[in-house]
Amino acid sequence: MSSSGVTKASRQVLTSAATIGALTVLVSLAAFVRDLIVAAKLGRGDEFDAYLIALLLPSFLISVLTLTLAPAYIPAYFQARAARGEAAGRRLLQMVIAIALVVLGIAVIALIVAFVPLLPLLASNFSAQKQDLAIHLFWVLVPILFLTGMANVLGTALNSERQFAWVAIAPAFPPLFAAIALLLVWHDGGVYALAAGTVAGALAQMLVVATSAARAGLPLVPRAPKLSDPDLARLREQYLPLAFGAVLMSGTMIVDQSMAAALDPGSLSAWSYGTKVVLLFTSVGSLALNTAVLPHFSEMAAKGDWAHIRELARRHALQVFVASIPLMAVLFIWGSDLVRLVFERGRFTSADTIVVARVQALYALQIPFYVAGVLYARVLSALGRNQILLAGNVLTIALKIGLNLALIPLLGVEGIALATSMVLFASCAFLWIMARRELRLRERRGAT
């Protein structure tokens, strides 16, 4: 690929990223509206703490089992098409669908069996009544593991065909349905409406993505997987390190929320509110760009175009890093005004604003490093080096636990936010170094 080709690819990435970003803004607005209603109706009370714990393990398994699929599936899909034609790529998707149906079904059953015994470990500071509420909310929420998981699998297949629109907008349904359900409930039990609305939205998300995949002509009929299939073997080789790495990285989510739940009542809710605005912006930026670049990186890797992968990654990493610094500064300096404007009404008080603003300010320090780090993680996935991501995740969770233990006694729940930002700085540096190293090694091999 010539330099003009890299420029063209860069423009295609930015165009796709702009489309995904615009749709992700709509998703974030739906989540924002839901959060406003949750803050007014539930505040930092026991009900919202119980809801967050009930949602913790389903969210963890969704991240481990399905959000890790794209960096493994999309490169394997392009390799299959390049080596054996379009039919090989379609066959791979059908086998992946069959595996996903079985694995997600087993995961739901396992989680139903395990949740009650695990709850005292996850929420050691919860009263018996609060734990009982969490259990009842869990029974309502557990279907989202299967529904959102299948939506993610089919969405990955659509993204591999560079069809991003419905995949990007469909996640708006869970927060939108949850907000509507909360507004319709004006009496006690609003937290159950939040849970039921979330599940109804997850069902809508899956149906929308499945319909879009069918209209795109993707083969959705499951095919019994053959373990000897070379494309499935390549996918498995790259997916397993990502899944194990996600266990570690998503494990930090469990560690963070469990440590927050062990602090004063309302600390877990403060952690959740304090991360929402930051996650809103990082999801728009990183999800948009990194969803768009992975098919391009994967196609270039299938052709052995290492130098231009390096140039494309460098160009976009610099763009997102520079663009995100002002946002980080605004959230750090004027975060309390934003929290007051967004959340302070109903059961969310001025005292809550003080705590949540401190969490938000320290959590915002991660923004440039998170976005750039995910970009270089996509480079490594396109190169088939997900083992490096696994090694990085091992180091990351060890560092995270150590920093949590050191900072929580000094700062309380704010210490978890600062530890997260420090860890993501270290992770970004590691991924940047390893991605550049891998690309230069392949360039040298190509030159010889």
Side-chain angles (χ1 to χ4, degrees):
M1 181 183 293
S2 64
S3 58
S4 61
V6 174
T7 301
K8 180 180 178 181
S10 179
R11 289 174 179 169
Q12 290 174 343
V13 166
L14 291 176
T15 300
S16 298
T19 301
I20 298 168
L23 295 173
T24 306
V25 167
L26 297 178
V27 175
S28 299
L29 286 175
F32 177 72
V33 170
R34 176 204 57 195
D35 294 340
L36 290 179
I37 299 170
V38 169
K41 282 184 168 284
L42 303 178
R44 288 176 59 208
D46 286 350
E47 297 96 334
F48 193 44
D49 277 354
Y51 171 84
L52 293 172
I53 284 295
L55 191 60
L56 180 59
L57 290 182
S59 298
F60 168 74
L61 288 177
I62 289 168
S63 297
V64 169
L65 297 176
T66 63
L67 291 182
T68 53
L69 179 63
Y73 172 81
I74 293 178
Y77 173 74
F78 277 100
Q79 291 284 352
R81 289 204 319 181
R84 279 170 287 281
E86 185 70 27
R90 298 172 70 85
R91 183 172 61 249
L92 178 63
L93 172 59
Q94 291 178 292
M95 290 189 289
V96 167
I97 291 173
I99 294 170
L101 289 170
V102 173
V103 169
L104 288 172
I106 293 173
V108 169
I109 295 171
L111 193 55
I112 290 172
V113 172
F115 182 76
V116 174
L118 289 175
L119 182 58
L121 300 176
L122 298 173
S124 59
N125 204 34
F126 279 21
S127 66
Q129 183 179 7
K130 196 170 175 180
Q131 288 193 14
D132 189 58
L133 176 59
I135 291 170
H136 285 89
L137 288 169
F138 169 78
W139 301 135
V140 179
L141 287 165
V142 69
I144 70 165
L145 171 54
F146 184 86
L147 298 172
T148 307
M150 286 307 303
N152 290 339
V153 170
L154 298 177
T156 294
L158 277 168
N159 285 342
S160 69
E161 299 291 341
R162 295 188 177 92
Q163 298 195 32
F164 304 115
W166 282 112
V167 182
I169 194 63
F173 287 104
L176 182 62
F177 278 46
I180 293 171
L182 272 173
L183 287 173
L184 294 177
V185 175
W186 298 99
H187 50 77
D188 291 340
V191 70
Y192 286 101
L194 174 64
T198 301
V199 174
L203 174 61
Q205 177 185 357
M206 187 195 71
L207 292 176
V208 166
V209 175
T211 301
S212 179
R215 288 178 176 174
L218 296 181
L220 302 184
V221 178
R223 177 192 290 259
K226 295 182 180 179
L227 298 180
S228 60
D229 185 274
D231 301 315
L232 186 61
R234 180 180 294 107
L235 172 60
R236 183 173 62 248
E237 179 185 350
Q238 295 303 315
Y239 173 77
L240 290 178
L242 286 170
F244 285 124
V247 168
L248 298 175
M249 286 301 294
S250 298
T252 63
M253 175 179 66
I254 294 179
V255 168
D256 288 344
Q257 295 199 33
S258 298
M259 286 184 171
L263 299 173
D264 296 335
S267 293
L268 178 56
S269 297
W271 166 255
S272 177
Y273 287 122
T275 61
K276 286 187 181 299
V277 174
V278 176
L279 292 176
L280 185 153
F281 289 111
T282 55
S283 64
V284 171
S286 66
L287 179 64
L289 180 61
N290 294 304
T291 300
V293 298
L294 183 57
H296 286 276
F297 286 158
S298 300
E299 189 171 24
M300 289 179 178
K303 298 175 181 177
D305 200 355
W306 317 120
H308 291 116
I309 293 177
R310 178 164 54 85
E311 173 59 23
L312 192 62
R314 183 199 66 78
R315 183 178 300 184
H316 290 305
L318 182 61
Q319 289 169 344
V320 298
F321 192 90
V322 171
S324 60
I325 289 177
L327 173 62
M328 177 192 71
V330 167
L331 291 177
F332 186 83
I333 297 170
W334 292 288
S336 59
D337 295 326
L338 181 60
V339 172
R340 186 176 300 109
L341 176 66
V342 171
F343 294 121
E344 195 175 305
R345 59 185 56 84
R347 293 178 62 182
F348 195 101
T349 67
S350 58
D352 297 329
T353 294
I354 294 172
V355 178
V356 170
R358 290 172 182 167
V359 172
Q360 179 180 274
L362 295 174
Y363 197 70
L365 296 175
Q366 67 168 284
I367 293 175
F369 311 110
Y370 173 83
V371 178
V374 173
L375 181 68
Y376 280 106
R378 291 293 179 265
V379 172
L380 289 168
S381 293
L383 299 179
R385 295 294 288 151
N386 291 320
Q387 297 86 349
I388 294 175
L389 300 182
L390 174 59
N393 289 338
V394 171
L395 298 174
T396 295
I397 192 169
L399 181 60
K400 186 66 168 70
I401 292 173
L403 287 172
N404 275 2
L405 293 174
L407 294 174
I408 287 175
L410 299 175
L411 301 173
V413 69
E414 295 99 317
I416 302 176
L418 180 57
T420 301
S421 294
M422 294 171 68
V423 164
L424 287 170
F425 167 77
S427 176
C428 177
F430 173 80
L431 294 170
W432 174 68
I433 291 169
M434 297 308 297
R436 286 174 59 86
R437 175 180 174 272
E438 286 295 318
L439 286 168
R440 285 181 174 175
L441 284 174
R442 296 186 188 218
E443 286 180 56
R444 289 170 186 167
R445 290 172 190 163
T448 60

